[in-house]
Amino acid sequence: MPAKTVVFTNVRKFDGDKFRWITSGEYVQMSGRAGRRGLDAFGICILMLDEKLEPAVAKGMVKGAPDPLNSAFHLSYNMLLNQMRCEESNPEVILRQSFHQFQTDRALPQIQKRVVELEEERDSIVIEEEEKVKDYSSIVEQLQKIKSDIRAIVFAPHYSLPFLQPGRLIRILKSSSNGAEDSTSVLTRDENTVWGVIVNFEKAQGLSQSNEDDCSEDKTPETKFVVDILVNCTAAVEGRRHKVVQPISLHEPGEPLVTAIPLSQVDSLSAVRIRIPKDLRPIEARERTLKIIAEVLRRFPDGVQLLDPEDDMQVKSGDYKKAVRRVEALESLLANHALSNSTTLVERLKVLQEKENLTAAIRITRKEVRLASTLVFKDELKARRRVLRRLGYATADDLVEFKGRVACEISSADELILTELIFNGVLKEASVEQIVALLSCLVWQEKTKNFKKLREDLAGPFSQLQDTARRVGKVQMECKMPIDVEDYVASLRPDIMEVVYAWCKGAKFSEIMKLAEVFEGSLIRAMKRLEEVLQQLVVASQSIGDTDMEARFQNAITSIKRDIVFAASLYL
């Protein structure tokens, strides 16, 4: 598709985490399409800007250094098994000669230099009475942890929900200090908390597992609550969709906003309640409410009366009482500490925190030195060999077994799961349409909206697929592979099983597009990947002499390889 002109409708993109400016490498790659060879002396590139572009950003984009070229080399069971089949091949030699190893070896002097620089920077920091400061900091850290435990008990839903009435003043931890307070936060409590007023609270359903779509019967939903509060905030728009809200003090310039916070971010509840407008949408109503909060705080210079956990909230937990006694003991230690009256205590604690951060950085960098000094993927190679032996793919002498010969031929999907499906009879018992639908779970990566419950004839095979994946995942975890079994199982997505099943049954492309909210291009790409996997399964069946499965996989290829999905080109 030769082009004379390339137009960027936007120079920001969402990379899966945040909106950012496109990099120099991305700009060169896309703008380089401009200009038809043999027809144009030059190409035209147009940037459409709808927001301010700083000169430095523009220069970095247009004239910046290209993106670094880093190795994407990784080990796979397929590669390892194929290495085992070659008598004179040695996986360790291949790893040693890889580009990844070359980059690691080349980076070693820089990492060692970095260790020396960090040590010199740390050793240059001198703290007066350092041991006493460390002792004080240790007590503060213990105190923070126990207070965090107390908050978790007091603001558990069965204690706190009856007191989350609209209009009650609430003190919350700033999100930056929530769960990550430093040693000075105990001495600067007012700087790490902000006041607001409760508007409402609501229940939020979540799962303890990372994937919410795959809800089997053994996964119990965990009920969580969030509190809607009116608080002074700074709001920053990131890209076109994300609005980042940060609660700040009432005295700082900001904007009155209603924001939702988890119960874990609540520091304390006030005994004071104020009347709030029923409609907080007008900014005038929110501003008036914040002024009332400020006036209440002004009238109580010694602090607003707080709800007592035992007397008011009826917290009778034994763990709570033990924690309170421990807090009292630690606070007594702090009050009687030799540095308790020091005017430079806060500054010394901050310097100590900086020194400890440098020590942690040195520890991490030294670990990088150790890793760079050894063979890359050495531990992973040992773990993968253990997995292959446990599952019967290879012997202790690295000889490929019968099951291993099948896995050798599969590289476009999870070779272990597919091989297990063949040998445990799941694919033999299923129809051709069910086989293709089931294999779609191994190639589909996108998350779709409004996923419907699977029909019975597809739910059964999918359940067997999950059981197989869970068994394979547990074996990998027991063999020291860095894997989360539930995440591994959740990666098998059944979103397009119904679509693929209907396509194999002869449905038109326009009809199957109504069955799932996916892009046409994404579905066609998945179908092409499916055909690639099926071709590999045909070869795998031939390698073990299973003519029945070979014929079934050939029929599966025939059932999907038709019409627009496998047209030579989508361009007219």
Side-chain angles (χ1 to χ4, degrees), residues 88-113:
E88 297 182 1
S89 180
N90 188 337
E92 283 87 352
V93 174
I94 291 177
L95 293 179
R96 174 58 66 185
Q97 295 176 345
S98 68
F99 180 51
H100 194 292
Q101 182 70 52
F102 167 75
Q103 286 190 308
T104 303
D105 293 342
R106 190 175 61 174
L108 183 57
Q110 284 85 358
I111 300 174
Q112 291 172 329
K113 182 181 177 183

Side-chain angles (χ1 to χ4, degrees), residues 181-396:
E181 297 176 301
D182 59 32
S183 302
T184 63
S185 60
V186 168
L187 306 177
T188 56
R189 162 61 64 188
D190 292 340
E191 296 179 12
N192 291 287
T193 57
V194 296
W195 282 97
V197 63
I198 297 175
V199 177
N200 192 14
F201 73 87
E202 58 186 357
K203 183 164 59 176
Q205 289 289 344
L207 288 177
S208 56
Q209 282 79 8
S210 62
N211 190 293
E212 298 184 8
D213 296 326
D214 179 25
C215 302
S216 55
E217 293 180 2
D218 59 335
K219 296 178 184 177
T220 54
E222 180 188 37
T223 304
K224 295 182 180 179
F225 290 85
V226 293
V227 187
D228 294 327
I229 65 168
L230 174 64
V231 66
N232 192 31
C233 296
T234 57
V237 178
E238 200 168 298
R240 294 183 174 180
R241 302 178 186 175
H242 298 275
K243 191 172 186 179
V244 181
V245 174
Q246 173 69 44
I248 57 174
S249 167
L250 292 170
H251 306 295
E252 297 179 61
E255 181 182 356
L257 294 173
V258 176
T259 184
I261 62 161
L263 278 175
S264 59
Q265 201 174 330
V266 177
D267 180 68
S268 52
L269 293 176
S270 166
V272 177
R273 291 179 63 187
I274 63 173
R275 189 183 299 276
I276 60 174
K278 292 183 179 179
D279 187 1
L280 285 170
R281 285 175 294 182
I283 189 170
E284 294 81 7
R286 285 179 272 140
E287 288 175 344
R288 282 197 304 271
T289 306
L290 287 191
K291 287 179 180 178
I292 294 173
I293 299 173
E295 178 62 21
V296 170
L297 297 176
R298 189 188 65 79
R299 293 186 183 185
F300 293 92
D302 297 328
V304 179
Q305 182 181 351
L306 305 177
L307 290 179
D308 186 271
E310 292 188 71
D311 297 338
D312 298 321
M313 301 177 70
Q314 302 299 309
V315 178
K316 305 297 183 184
S317 168
D319 291 337
Y320 169 77
K321 293 180 179 178
K322 288 179 184 177
V324 168
R325 287 196 295 271
R326 183 68 179 142
V327 165
E328 290 172 352
L330 289 171
E331 287 180 339
S332 175
L333 282 175
L334 287 179
N336 297 319
H337 198 278
L339 299 178
S340 60
N341 296 320
S342 171
T343 57
T344 60
L345 178 59
V346 174
E347 288 73 16
R348 282 192 273 179
L349 285 172
K350 287 180 178 178
V351 174
L352 178 65
Q353 185 71 45
E354 182 184 346
K355 193 169 184 177
E356 288 176 346
N357 290 342
L358 287 171
T359 302
I362 291 169
R363 190 160 49 245
I364 293 170
T365 311
R366 281 178 176 165
K367 185 178 179 181
E368 291 177 5
V369 170
R370 288 195 299 273
L371 292 174
S373 304
T374 58
L375 182 67
V376 293
F377 302 119
K378 182 180 178 181
D379 293 336
E380 185 183 344
L381 179 62
K382 291 180 180 178
R384 287 185 182 273
R385 278 174 164 161
R386 284 194 292 267
V387 172
L388 292 174
R389 291 164 189 162
R390 282 278 301 274
L391 291 174
Y393 288 70
T395 66

